[in-house]
Amino acid sequence: MASSNESNILILIPLLVSSLMGMVVFANGNLNQHFDITWGDGRAKILNNGELLTLSLDKASGSGFQSKNEYLFGKIDMQLKLVPGNSAGTVTAYYLSSKGATWDEIDYEFLGNVSGEPYILHTNVFSQGKGNREQQFYLWFDPTADFHTYSIIWNPQRIIFSVDGTPIREFKNSETIGVPFPKKQPMRIYSSLWNADDWATRGGLVKTDWTQAPFTASYRNFNAEACIWSSGASSCGSSSVSDASAKGSWFSQELDVTGQGRLKWVQKNYMIYNYCNDTKRFPQGLPPECNIS
């Protein structure tokens, strides 16, 4: 016969489960629990009891991993330490993506460079299979010397890219002027380290120096407050804004005055390419979202 304490626990368990069904799932800690190594024939490793993940690239192959879960909206953080030294020709991609011909995608790509030259942080947003929304930045630190946190806030109103808590890019929902926005297709997290010396460094002029191989990028401290998609439904229930209090502040988060100021600082001092300024690329007129302040 159960004791009174055991009875109380048995009563609480279904209540807890039912409350979690409409809540954000908090994921952190052991990388083994959240990611599968998908390719690389042993070049990708999960180490230190799940605390560290490394991807490696040599002349034969790169490597990659993906999340076990699919997500539909979330605040997702990962710490990365990029390939050190002469990394020219290598690309470390870290992104969210759905599947299919009209996929959605939220991209970080880190384009390596010769020793002493800055990495280029390349960002892009795809919706309904259409991208061409690149913004590129230099970083205000050496991303190979230590781990730094690269974050994506993705909610129904906007996507915010942040580095160590500093916003570098915001892509707003502009469906009212006919711009598709990623909000219906669940996405997995993917990352890969691969050779792109046909285009990545000065348009392919600088080739990968294979005497420096293997090249290694490292990952740790994954954290997600997110809506997990499973069996055709979200762990957060309805995606309406009225549910935002149950989901967390990120679900309706926007940049406050301080965040807007930091975003402008990054874009003034460290942005090196913005598709919204590339009139040669869009001779028929810039994409409609570029005309919104």
Side-chain angles (χ1 to χ4, degrees), residues 150-171:
Y150 301 89
S151 304
I152 294 166
I153 291 174
W154 169 35
N155 63 38
Q157 298 83 39
R158 57 186 43 81
I159 296 162
I160 301 171
F161 297 77
S162 298
V163 179
D164 290 337
T166 295
I168 64 168
R169 177 175 186 176
E170 179 181 33
F171 183 79

Side-chain angles (χ1 to χ4, degrees), residues 11-120:
I11 291 168
L12 284 170
I13 286 173
L15 291 174
L16 179 62
V17 170
S18 65
S19 69
L20 285 173
M21 289 300 289
M23 294 287 284
V24 168
V25 175
F26 293 85
N28 53 40
N30 192 322
L31 295 168
N32 276 307
Q33 295 176 3
H34 303 296
F35 297 99
D36 292 318
I37 290 169
T38 47
W39 63 285
D41 195 23
R43 290 171 180 80
K45 296 180 172 64
I46 298 178
L47 306 166
N48 300 353
N49 296 315
E51 291 182 2
L52 180 70
L53 191 157
T54 60
L55 296 183
S56 289
L57 162 70
D58 58 32
K59 199 166 187 177
S61 178
S63 52
F65 66 85
Q66 70 180 42
S67 61
K68 295 178 187 288
N69 288 316
E70 291 182 292
Y71 304 96
L72 187 64
F73 306 125
K75 179 181 185 294
I76 295 166
D77 306 321
M78 180 77 88
Q79 290 194 325
L80 279 73
K81 183 163 69 171
L82 300 178
V83 173
N86 181 359
S87 57
T90 72
V91 171
T92 305
Y94 173 68
Y95 59 103
L96 289 161
S97 183
S98 64
K99 294 292 190 184
T102 56
W103 78 100
D104 295 336
E105 190 169 310
I106 303 169
D107 283 348
Y108 281 108
E109 290 187 77
F110 302 89
L111 313 185
N113 215 330
V114 294
S115 297
E117 294 295 316
Y119 262 77
I120 291 174

